[in-house]
Amino acid sequence: MNDAILTVLAQVSEQMGFLTPTGPADQAPTFGPVVQVAFHGPAEGVVVVAASQTLAEALARNLLTIDADAAVPAEDCTDALRELANIAAGNLLPILHGDGEYRLDPPEISSWPSLTTDAAHLECVEGTLSACCALR
Amino acid sequence: MTAPSGPLEVLVVDDNRIMRDMVARSVGMSGLPIAQIRQAGDGQQALDAVRAAWTDLVLLDLNMPVMDGETFLRALRADTALRDTLVVVVSTESSGARIERLRGMQAGFVHKPFTPEALCAEVHRLLGDTP
């Protein structure tokens, strides 16, 4: 499962976020935005995605074409991560829990769960990106 | 479904403003003749927008609050004045059954994450063009 999460994170961060994945990381970022996407359908639960602050800022810069020397508002970082989490969740669910019609709730600000077994951490040139999937 | 003859009036529908901007930028770079690109944040806003002003092409997300994309598409196809509007769904959806249902409502489909080239190719396909 963790390999599948890592693969999807790498694909989405590269294709949608224009980030540069370099390989697995050891742990979730300790400082940066976290969002969760609740899903309903053949399985019910949440996908949680966390980004280091540097990665969240790079993501927002790339998606919003913000100048390199301009400050990135926190809201832009969170909104950029929301969209990345939404796409990651949509791509992960059929892999983790089988094909079917899933309904995704709008991504919400969250916190990284203290106990996670099904999690993957991706190192990118821009920082760290983590995701986990928990069933309800 | 008939291809528009002049520059396209485009409506981008997504609840995330960043994705709306990305889709708008992609279609803006497509080489398609664009008259205007408008945006809506959910299906209900989109329905209001297509009823208020002529729209040639709708680029549509599925998972949205208030009214989702599939409900919007069904309402659009049921409206005799709007039923021929071109629609491309831009979504993370992977369910084959749901994608077939959308195609059955004459919608194109582009999977997120998408490349601008994939989006443009699907728009051209719907328009009956060779990109």
Side-chain angles (χ1 to χ4, degrees), chain A residues 15-55:
Chain A
Q15 288 186 17
M16 176 256 176
F18 313 110
L19 301 171
T20 310
T22 56
D26 294 332
Q27 59 182 22
T30 53
F31 177 67
V34 182
V35 300
Q36 72 171 34
V37 181
F39 57 89
H40 314 274
E44 306 254 333
V46 291
V47 172
V48 184
V49 178
S52 65
Q53 189 60 32
T54 54
L55 185 137

PDB file of all heavy atoms in Angstrom, chain A residues 15-55:
ATOM      1  N   GLN A  15       3.396  15.866 -12.228  1.00  0.00           N
ATOM      2  CA  GLN A  15       2.557  16.240 -13.379  1.00  0.00           C
ATOM      3  C   GLN A  15       1.672  17.444 -13.102  1.00  0.00           C
ATOM      4  O   GLN A  15       1.453  18.278 -13.972  1.00  0.00           O
ATOM      5  CB  GLN A  15       1.667  15.068 -13.794  1.00  0.00           C
ATOM      6  CG  GLN A  15       2.434  13.950 -14.464  1.00  0.00           C
ATOM      7  CD  GLN A  15       1.500  12.875 -15.003  1.00  0.00           C
ATOM      8  OE1 GLN A  15       0.308  13.081 -15.156  1.00  0.00           O
ATOM      9  NE2 GLN A  15       2.048  11.711 -15.260  1.00  0.00           N
ATOM     10  N   MET A  16       1.160  17.500 -11.888  1.00  0.00           N
ATOM     11  CA  MET A  16       0.215  18.573 -11.597  1.00  0.00           C
ATOM     12  C   MET A  16       0.899  19.740 -10.877  1.00  0.00           C
ATOM     13  O   MET A  16       0.555  20.889 -11.103  1.00  0.00           O
ATOM     14  CB  MET A  16      -0.933  18.016 -10.753  1.00  0.00           C
ATOM     15  CG  MET A  16      -1.950  19.015 -10.283  1.00  0.00           C
ATOM     16  SD  MET A  16      -1.651  19.359  -8.540  1.00  0.00           S
ATOM     17  CE  MET A  16      -2.850  20.631  -8.237  1.00  0.00           C
ATOM     18  N   GLY A  17       1.881  19.412 -10.023  1.00  0.00           N
ATOM     19  CA  GLY A  17       2.515  20.467  -9.225  1.00  0.00           C
ATOM     20  C   GLY A  17       3.814  20.972  -9.787  1.00  0.00           C
ATOM     21  O   GLY A  17       4.379  21.932  -9.264  1.00  0.00           O
ATOM     22  N   PHE A  18       4.311  20.313 -10.848  1.00  0.00           N
ATOM     23  CA  PHE A  18       5.588  20.700 -11.465  1.00  0.00           C
ATOM     24  C   PHE A  18       6.720  20.691 -10.441  1.00  0.00           C
ATOM     25  O   PHE A  18       7.616  21.532 -10.471  1.00  0.00           O
ATOM     26  CB  PHE A  18       5.465  22.068 -12.154  1.00  0.00           C
ATOM     27  CG  PHE A  18       4.242  22.181 -13.015  1.00  0.00           C
ATOM     28  CD1 PHE A  18       3.183  23.002 -12.647  1.00  0.00           C
ATOM     29  CD2 PHE A  18       4.116  21.434 -14.176  1.00  0.00           C
ATOM     30  CE1 PHE A  18       2.032  23.072 -13.426  1.00  0.00           C
ATOM     31  CE2 PHE A  18       2.972  21.498 -14.953  1.00  0.00           C
ATOM     32  CZ  PHE A  18       1.929  22.322 -14.580  1.00  0.00           C
ATOM     33  N   LEU A  19       6.652  19.721  -9.511  1.00  0.00           N
ATOM     34  CA  LEU A  19       7.691  19.551  -8.502  1.00  0.00           C
ATOM     35  C   LEU A  19       8.665  18.465  -8.982  1.00  0.00           C
ATOM     36  O   LEU A  19       8.422  17.801  -9.980  1.00  0.00           O
ATOM     37  CB  LEU A  19       7.057  19.153  -7.162  1.00  0.00           C
ATOM     38  CG  LEU A  19       6.050  20.156  -6.601  1.00  0.00           C
ATOM     39  CD1 LEU A  19       5.314  19.571  -5.393  1.00  0.00           C
ATOM     40  CD2 LEU A  19       6.739  21.469  -6.213  1.00  0.00           C
ATOM     41  N   THR A  20       9.750  18.293  -8.229  1.00  0.00           N
ATOM     42  CA  THR A  20      10.790  17.348  -8.642  1.00  0.00           C
ATOM     43  C   THR A  20      11.012  16.295  -7.570  1.00  0.00           C
ATOM     44  O   THR A  20      11.810  16.497  -6.639  1.00  0.00           O
ATOM     45  CB  THR A  20      12.106  18.109  -8.914  1.00  0.00           C
ATOM     46  OG1 THR A  20      11.824  19.200  -9.785  1.00  0.00           O
ATOM     47  CG2 THR A  20      13.146  17.203  -9.566  1.00  0.00           C
ATOM     48  N   PRO A  21      10.316  15.150  -7.643  1.00  0.00           N
ATOM     49  CA  PRO A  21      10.513  14.075  -6.664  1.00  0.00           C
ATOM     50  C   PRO A  21      11.900  13.462  -6.803  1.00  0.00           C
ATOM     51  O   PRO A  21      12.411  13.304  -7.914  1.00  0.00           O
ATOM     52  CB  PRO A  21       9.437  13.051  -7.028  1.00  0.00           C
ATOM     53  CG  PRO A  21       8.490  13.758  -7.932  1.00  0.00           C
ATOM     54  CD  PRO A  21       9.266  14.827  -8.621  1.00  0.00           C
ATOM     55  N   THR A  22      12.492  13.115  -5.641  1.00  0.00           N
ATOM     56  CA  THR A  22      13.820  12.491  -5.681  1.00  0.00           C
ATOM     57  C   THR A  22      13.827  11.097  -5.067  1.00  0.00           C
ATOM     58  O   THR A  22      14.769  10.343  -5.283  1.00  0.00           O
ATOM     59  CB  THR A  22      14.847  13.371  -4.944  1.00  0.00           C
ATOM     60  OG1 THR A  22      14.386  13.596  -3.600  1.00  0.00           O
ATOM     61  CG2 THR A  22      15.039  14.704  -5.639  1.00  0.00           C
ATOM     62  N   GLY A  23      12.803  10.743  -4.258  1.00  0.00           N
ATOM     63  CA  GLY A  23      12.757   9.411  -3.660  1.00  0.00           C
ATOM     64  C   GLY A  23      12.013   9.432  -2.342  1.00  0.00           C
ATOM     65  O   GLY A  23      11.496  10.477  -1.923  1.00  0.00           O
ATOM     66  N   PRO A  24      11.967   8.281  -1.670  1.00  0.00           N
ATOM     67  CA  PRO A  24      11.238   8.216  -0.395  1.00  0.00           C
ATOM     68  C   PRO A  24      11.912   9.060   0.688  1.00  0.00           C
ATOM     69  O   PRO A  24      13.136   9.208   0.691  1.00  0.00           O
ATOM     70  CB  PRO A  24      11.294   6.732  -0.019  1.00  0.00           C
ATOM     71  CG  PRO A  24      11.802   6.014  -1.208  1.00  0.00           C
ATOM     72  CD  PRO A  24      12.525   6.991  -2.066  1.00  0.00           C
ATOM     73  N   ALA A  25      11.101   9.592   1.592  1.00  0.00           N
ATOM     74  CA  ALA A  25      11.620  10.302   2.771  1.00  0.00           C
ATOM     75  C   ALA A  25      11.338   9.447   4.002  1.00  0.00           C
ATOM     76  O   ALA A  25      10.566   8.479   3.945  1.00  0.00           O
ATOM     77  CB  ALA A  25      10.947  11.665   2.899  1.00  0.00           C
ATOM     78  N   ASP A  26      11.950   9.805   5.119  1.00  0.00           N
ATOM     79  CA  ASP A  26      11.845   8.972   6.324  1.00  0.00           C
ATOM     80  C   ASP A  26      10.570   9.235   7.120  1.00  0.00           C
ATOM     81  O   ASP A  26      10.035   8.347   7.768  1.00  0.00           O
ATOM     82  CB  ASP A  26      13.041   9.219   7.241  1.00  0.00           C
ATOM     83  CG  ASP A  26      14.331   8.732   6.594  1.00  0.00           C
ATOM     84  OD1 ASP A  26      14.235   7.793   5.777  1.00  0.00           O
ATOM     85  OD2 ASP A  26      15.396   9.300   6.884  1.00  0.00           O
ATOM     86  N   GLN A  27      10.124  10.467   7.101  1.00  0.00           N
ATOM     87  CA  GLN A  27       8.982  10.807   7.960  1.00  0.00           C
ATOM     88  C   GLN A  27       8.186  11.973   7.390  1.00  0.00           C
ATOM     89  O   GLN A  27       8.648  12.653   6.468  1.00  0.00           O
ATOM     90  CB  GLN A  27       9.461  11.155   9.361  1.00  0.00           C
ATOM     91  CG  GLN A  27      10.418  12.322   9.395  1.00  0.00           C
ATOM     92  CD  GLN A  27      10.921  12.604  10.806  1.00  0.00           C
ATOM     93  OE1 GLN A  27      10.901  11.737  11.661  1.00  0.00           O
ATOM     94  NE2 GLN A  27      11.366  13.828  11.043  1.00  0.00           N
ATOM     95  N   ALA A  28       7.003  12.189   7.971  1.00  0.00           N
ATOM     96  CA  ALA A  28       6.149  13.287   7.544  1.00  0.00           C
ATOM     97  C   ALA A  28       6.769  14.622   7.947  1.00  0.00           C
ATOM     98  O   ALA A  28       7.510  14.690   8.935  1.00  0.00           O
ATOM     99  CB  ALA A  28       4.762  13.140   8.173  1.00  0.00           C
ATOM    100  N   PRO A  29       6.490  15.665   7.186  1.00  0.00           N
ATOM    101  CA  PRO A  29       7.016  16.984   7.558  1.00  0.00           C
ATOM    102  C   PRO A  29       6.469  17.426   8.910  1.00  0.00           C
ATOM    103  O   PRO A  29       5.312  17.138   9.245  1.00  0.00           O
ATOM    104  CB  PRO A  29       6.535  17.902   6.437  1.00  0.00           C
ATOM    105  CG  PRO A  29       5.443  17.170   5.757  1.00  0.00           C
ATOM    106  CD  PRO A  29       5.690  15.720   5.952  1.00  0.00           C
ATOM    107  N   THR A  30       7.281  18.117   9.676  1.00  0.00           N
ATOM    108  CA  THR A  30       6.847  18.553  11.003  1.00  0.00           C
ATOM    109  C   THR A  30       6.219  19.942  10.971  1.00  0.00           C
ATOM    110  O   THR A  30       5.525  20.328  11.900  1.00  0.00           O
ATOM    111  CB  THR A  30       8.038  18.569  11.974  1.00  0.00           C
ATOM    112  OG1 THR A  30       9.091  19.346  11.387  1.00  0.00           O
ATOM    113  CG2 THR A  30       8.531  17.159  12.241  1.00  0.00           C
ATOM    114  N   PHE A  31       6.463  20.704   9.901  1.00  0.00           N
ATOM    115  CA  PHE A  31       5.916  22.057   9.829  1.00  0.00           C
ATOM    116  C   PHE A  31       5.435  22.336   8.414  1.00  0.00           C
ATOM    117  O   PHE A  31       6.223  22.290   7.477  1.00  0.00           O
ATOM    118  CB  PHE A  31       6.969  23.089  10.233  1.00  0.00           C
ATOM    119  CG  PHE A  31       6.481  24.506  10.104  1.00  0.00           C
ATOM    120  CD1 PHE A  31       5.468  24.992  10.921  1.00  0.00           C
ATOM    121  CD2 PHE A  31       7.021  25.359   9.148  1.00  0.00           C
ATOM    122  CE1 PHE A  31       5.005  26.294  10.790  1.00  0.00           C
ATOM    123  CE2 PHE A  31       6.560  26.663   9.019  1.00  0.00           C
ATOM    124  CZ  PHE A  31       5.565  27.132   9.845  1.00  0.00           C
ATOM    125  N   GLY A  32       4.136  22.612   8.290  1.00  0.00           N
ATOM    126  CA  GLY A  32       3.559  22.905   6.982  1.00  0.00           C
ATOM    127  C   GLY A  32       2.090  22.548   6.985  1.00  0.00           C
ATOM    128  O   GLY A  32       1.578  21.960   7.944  1.00  0.00           O
ATOM    129  N   PRO A  33       1.387  22.895   5.913  1.00  0.00           N
ATOM    130  CA  PRO A  33      -0.060  22.640   5.865  1.00  0.00           C
ATOM    131  C   PRO A  33      -0.394  21.157   5.736  1.00  0.00           C
ATOM    132  O   PRO A  33       0.359  20.383   5.145  1.00  0.00           O
ATOM    133  CB  PRO A  33      -0.520  23.411   4.631  1.00  0.00           C
ATOM    134  CG  PRO A  33       0.694  23.545   3.785  1.00  0.00           C
ATOM    135  CD  PRO A  33       1.867  23.592   4.711  1.00  0.00           C
ATOM    136  N   VAL A  34      -1.546  20.789   6.304  1.00  0.00           N
ATOM    137  CA  VAL A  34      -2.073  19.416   6.210  1.00  0.00           C
ATOM    138  C   VAL A  34      -3.535  19.525   5.817  1.00  0.00           C
ATOM    139  O   VAL A  34      -4.279  20.338   6.383  1.00  0.00           O
ATOM    140  CB  VAL A  34      -1.953  18.677   7.566  1.00  0.00           C
ATOM    141  CG1 VAL A  34      -2.458  17.238   7.430  1.00  0.00           C
ATOM    142  CG2 VAL A  34      -0.521  18.692   8.087  1.00  0.00           C
ATOM    143  N   VAL A  35      -3.968  18.720   4.856  1.00  0.00           N
ATOM    144  CA  VAL A  35      -5.380  18.696   4.481  1.00  0.00           C
ATOM    145  C   VAL A  35      -5.857  17.250   4.393  1.00  0.00           C
ATOM    146  O   VAL A  35      -5.053  16.331   4.216  1.00  0.00           O
ATOM    147  CB  VAL A  35      -5.652  19.412   3.130  1.00  0.00           C
ATOM    148  CG1 VAL A  35      -5.244  20.867   3.180  1.00  0.00           C
ATOM    149  CG2 VAL A  35      -4.953  18.709   1.994  1.00  0.00           C
ATOM    150  N   GLN A  36      -7.146  17.078   4.544  1.00  0.00           N
ATOM    151  CA  GLN A  36      -7.710  15.738   4.402  1.00  0.00           C
ATOM    152  C   GLN A  36      -8.907  15.752   3.452  1.00  0.00           C
ATOM    153  O   GLN A  36      -9.620  16.758   3.342  1.00  0.00           O
ATOM    154  CB  GLN A  36      -8.129  15.160   5.759  1.00  0.00           C
ATOM    155  CG  GLN A  36      -9.356  15.805   6.358  1.00  0.00           C
ATOM    156  CD  GLN A  36      -9.848  15.049   7.590  1.00  0.00           C
ATOM    157  OE1 GLN A  36      -9.058  14.500   8.343  1.00  0.00           O
ATOM    158  NE2 GLN A  36     -11.158  15.053   7.786  1.00  0.00           N
ATOM    159  N   VAL A  37      -9.064  14.634   2.766  1.00  0.00           N
ATOM    160  CA  VAL A  37     -10.187  14.465   1.840  1.00  0.00           C
ATOM    161  C   VAL A  37     -10.975  13.240   2.303  1.00  0.00           C
ATOM    162  O   VAL A  37     -10.456  12.115   2.272  1.00  0.00           O
ATOM    163  CB  VAL A  37      -9.691  14.241   0.394  1.00  0.00           C
ATOM    164  CG1 VAL A  37     -10.869  14.084  -0.556  1.00  0.00           C
ATOM    165  CG2 VAL A  37      -8.787  15.385  -0.050  1.00  0.00           C
ATOM    166  N   ALA A  38     -12.206  13.461   2.733  1.00  0.00           N
ATOM    167  CA  ALA A  38     -13.061  12.326   3.125  1.00  0.00           C
ATOM    168  C   ALA A  38     -13.656  11.709   1.866  1.00  0.00           C
ATOM    169  O   ALA A  38     -14.007  12.425   0.923  1.00  0.00           O
ATOM    170  CB  ALA A  38     -14.159  12.798   4.056  1.00  0.00           C
ATOM    171  N   PHE A  39     -13.731  10.378   1.847  1.00  0.00           N
ATOM    172  CA  PHE A  39     -14.303   9.708   0.675  1.00  0.00           C
ATOM    173  C   PHE A  39     -15.401   8.745   1.098  1.00  0.00           C
ATOM    174  O   PHE A  39     -15.400   8.199   2.199  1.00  0.00           O
ATOM    175  CB  PHE A  39     -13.226   8.992  -0.145  1.00  0.00           C
ATOM    176  CG  PHE A  39     -12.406   7.981   0.606  1.00  0.00           C
ATOM    177  CD1 PHE A  39     -12.807   6.656   0.691  1.00  0.00           C
ATOM    178  CD2 PHE A  39     -11.223   8.349   1.220  1.00  0.00           C
ATOM    179  CE1 PHE A  39     -12.046   5.710   1.365  1.00  0.00           C
ATOM    180  CE2 PHE A  39     -10.452   7.415   1.913  1.00  0.00           C
ATOM    181  CZ  PHE A  39     -10.858   6.102   1.988  1.00  0.00           C
ATOM    182  N   HIS A  40     -16.345   8.557   0.173  1.00  0.00           N
ATOM    183  CA  HIS A  40     -17.503   7.704   0.409  1.00  0.00           C
ATOM    184  C   HIS A  40     -17.714   6.863  -0.840  1.00  0.00           C
ATOM    185  O   HIS A  40     -17.427   7.302  -1.938  1.00  0.00           O
ATOM    186  CB  HIS A  40     -18.747   8.557   0.666  1.00  0.00           C
ATOM    187  CG  HIS A  40     -18.509   9.684   1.619  1.00  0.00           C
ATOM    188  ND1 HIS A  40     -18.594   9.551   2.981  1.00  0.00           N
ATOM    189  CD2 HIS A  40     -18.134  10.973   1.397  1.00  0.00           C
ATOM    190  CE1 HIS A  40     -18.307  10.713   3.555  1.00  0.00           C
ATOM    191  NE2 HIS A  40     -18.022  11.587   2.619  1.00  0.00           N
ATOM    192  N   GLY A  41     -18.214   5.659  -0.663  1.00  0.00           N
ATOM    193  CA  GLY A  41     -18.446   4.783  -1.802  1.00  0.00           C
ATOM    194  C   GLY A  41     -18.158   3.350  -1.428  1.00  0.00           C
ATOM    195  O   GLY A  41     -18.551   2.910  -0.332  1.00  0.00           O
ATOM    196  N   PRO A  42     -17.459   2.614  -2.288  1.00  0.00           N
ATOM    197  CA  PRO A  42     -17.127   1.221  -1.968  1.00  0.00           C
ATOM    198  C   PRO A  42     -16.330   1.111  -0.671  1.00  0.00           C
ATOM    199  O   PRO A  42     -16.364   0.080   0.003  1.00  0.00           O
ATOM    200  CB  PRO A  42     -16.279   0.776  -3.165  1.00  0.00           C
ATOM    201  CG  PRO A  42     -16.664   1.692  -4.274  1.00  0.00           C
ATOM    202  CD  PRO A  42     -17.017   2.995  -3.633  1.00  0.00           C
ATOM    203  N   ALA A  43     -15.586   2.118  -0.311  1.00  0.00           N
ATOM    204  CA  ALA A  43     -14.909   2.204   0.989  1.00  0.00           C
ATOM    205  C   ALA A  43     -15.117   3.619   1.519  1.00  0.00           C
ATOM    206  O   ALA A  43     -15.352   4.553   0.749  1.00  0.00           O
ATOM    207  CB  ALA A  43     -13.426   1.902   0.836  1.00  0.00           C
ATOM    208  N   GLU A  44     -15.039   3.769   2.849  1.00  0.00           N
ATOM    209  CA  GLU A  44     -15.250   5.089   3.482  1.00  0.00           C
ATOM    210  C   GLU A  44     -14.037   5.414   4.328  1.00  0.00           C
ATOM    211  O   GLU A  44     -13.529   4.541   5.044  1.00  0.00           O
ATOM    212  CB  GLU A  44     -16.481   5.050   4.394  1.00  0.00           C
ATOM    213  CG  GLU A  44     -17.735   4.559   3.722  1.00  0.00           C
ATOM    214  CD  GLU A  44     -18.722   5.673   3.445  1.00  0.00           C
ATOM    215  OE1 GLU A  44     -18.701   6.671   4.176  1.00  0.00           O
ATOM    216  OE2 GLU A  44     -19.494   5.541   2.478  1.00  0.00           O
ATOM    217  N   GLY A  45     -13.581   6.638   4.286  1.00  0.00           N
ATOM    218  CA  GLY A  45     -12.436   7.007   5.111  1.00  0.00           C
ATOM    219  C   GLY A  45     -11.895   8.372   4.728  1.00  0.00           C
ATOM    220  O   GLY A  45     -12.631   9.212   4.189  1.00  0.00           O
ATOM    221  N   VAL A  46     -10.621   8.590   5.016  1.00  0.00           N
ATOM    222  CA  VAL A  46      -9.988   9.865   4.674  1.00  0.00           C
ATOM    223  C   VAL A  46      -8.605   9.619   4.077  1.00  0.00           C
ATOM    224  O   VAL A  46      -7.910   8.681   4.466  1.00  0.00           O
ATOM    225  CB  VAL A  46      -9.833  10.807   5.899  1.00  0.00           C
ATOM    226  CG1 VAL A  46     -11.172  11.325   6.375  1.00  0.00           C
ATOM    227  CG2 VAL A  46      -9.083  10.129   7.024  1.00  0.00           C
ATOM    228  N   VAL A  47      -8.243  10.475   3.158  1.00  0.00           N
ATOM    229  CA  VAL A  47      -6.865  10.564   2.689  1.00  0.00           C
ATOM    230  C   VAL A  47      -6.312  11.861   3.266  1.00  0.00           C
ATOM    231  O   VAL A  47      -6.935  12.920   3.131  1.00  0.00           O
ATOM    232  CB  VAL A  47      -6.787  10.590   1.145  1.00  0.00           C
ATOM    233  CG1 VAL A  47      -5.367  10.890   0.683  1.00  0.00           C
ATOM    234  CG2 VAL A  47      -7.275   9.267   0.568  1.00  0.00           C
ATOM    235  N   VAL A  48      -5.185  11.755   3.975  1.00  0.00           N
ATOM    236  CA  VAL A  48      -4.555  12.938   4.568  1.00  0.00           C
ATOM    237  C   VAL A  48      -3.256  13.222   3.822  1.00  0.00           C
ATOM    238  O   VAL A  48      -2.479  12.293   3.558  1.00  0.00           O
ATOM    239  CB  VAL A  48      -4.261  12.717   6.075  1.00  0.00           C
ATOM    240  CG1 VAL A  48      -3.693  13.990   6.701  1.00  0.00           C
ATOM    241  CG2 VAL A  48      -5.519  12.275   6.812  1.00  0.00           C
ATOM    242  N   VAL A  49      -3.046  14.483   3.464  1.00  0.00           N
ATOM    243  CA  VAL A  49      -1.825  14.874   2.749  1.00  0.00           C
ATOM    244  C   VAL A  49      -1.166  16.024   3.505  1.00  0.00           C
ATOM    245  O   VAL A  49      -1.835  17.000   3.866  1.00  0.00           O
ATOM    246  CB  VAL A  49      -2.130  15.297   1.293  1.00  0.00           C
ATOM    247  CG1 VAL A  49      -0.857  15.751   0.593  1.00  0.00           C
ATOM    248  CG2 VAL A  49      -2.771  14.138   0.526  1.00  0.00           C
ATOM    249  N   ALA A  50       0.127  15.881   3.765  1.00  0.00           N
ATOM    250  CA  ALA A  50       0.896  16.918   4.478  1.00  0.00           C
ATOM    251  C   ALA A  50       2.053  17.367   3.601  1.00  0.00           C
ATOM    252  O   ALA A  50       2.667  16.560   2.900  1.00  0.00           O
ATOM    253  CB  ALA A  50       1.430  16.350   5.794  1.00  0.00           C
ATOM    254  N   ALA A  51       2.351  18.650   3.654  1.00  0.00           N
ATOM    255  CA  ALA A  51       3.480  19.198   2.893  1.00  0.00           C
ATOM    256  C   ALA A  51       4.363  20.001   3.825  1.00  0.00           C
ATOM    257  O   ALA A  51       3.857  20.669   4.742  1.00  0.00           O
ATOM    258  CB  ALA A  51       2.989  20.085   1.762  1.00  0.00           C
ATOM    259  N   SER A  52       5.649  19.943   3.604  1.00  0.00           N
ATOM    260  CA  SER A  52       6.521  20.870   4.322  1.00  0.00           C
ATOM    261  C   SER A  52       6.221  22.283   3.812  1.00  0.00           C
ATOM    262  O   SER A  52       5.705  22.451   2.694  1.00  0.00           O
ATOM    263  CB  SER A  52       7.989  20.512   4.103  1.00  0.00           C
ATOM    264  OG  SER A  52       8.332  20.678   2.742  1.00  0.00           O
ATOM    265  N   GLN A  53       6.540  23.267   4.613  1.00  0.00           N
ATOM    266  CA  GLN A  53       6.229  24.645   4.238  1.00  0.00           C
ATOM    267  C   GLN A  53       6.920  25.025   2.922  1.00  0.00           C
ATOM    268  O   GLN A  53       6.331  25.691   2.065  1.00  0.00           O
ATOM    269  CB  GLN A  53       6.655  25.602   5.354  1.00  0.00           C
ATOM    270  CG  GLN A  53       6.195  27.035   5.155  1.00  0.00           C
ATOM    271  CD  GLN A  53       4.672  27.171   5.082  1.00  0.00           C
ATOM    272  OE1 GLN A  53       3.938  26.412   5.715  1.00  0.00           O
ATOM    273  NE2 GLN A  53       4.196  28.129   4.292  1.00  0.00           N
ATOM    274  N   THR A  54       8.166  24.573   2.764  1.00  0.00           N
ATOM    275  CA  THR A  54       8.900  24.934   1.539  1.00  0.00           C
ATOM    276  C   THR A  54       8.239  24.313   0.305  1.00  0.00           C
ATOM    277  O   THR A  54       8.129  24.958  -0.742  1.00  0.00           O
ATOM    278  CB  THR A  54      10.364  24.465   1.614  1.00  0.00           C
ATOM    279  OG1 THR A  54      10.400  23.065   1.900  1.00  0.00           O
ATOM    280  CG2 THR A  54      11.128  25.234   2.675  1.00  0.00           C
ATOM    281  N   LEU A  55       7.775  23.064   0.449  1.00  0.00           N
ATOM    282  CA  LEU A  55       7.123  22.416  -0.692  1.00  0.00           C
ATOM    283  C   LEU A  55       5.780  23.075  -0.996  1.00  0.00           C
ATOM    284  O   LEU A  55       5.429  23.304  -2.157  1.00  0.00           O
ATOM    285  CB  LEU A  55       6.933  20.920  -0.430  1.00  0.00           C
ATOM    286  CG  LEU A  55       6.357  20.140  -1.626  1.00  0.00           C
ATOM    287  CD1 LEU A  55       7.098  18.811  -1.811  1.00  0.00           C
ATOM    288  CD2 LEU A  55       4.870  19.896  -1.490  1.00  0.00           C
TER     289      LEU A  55
END
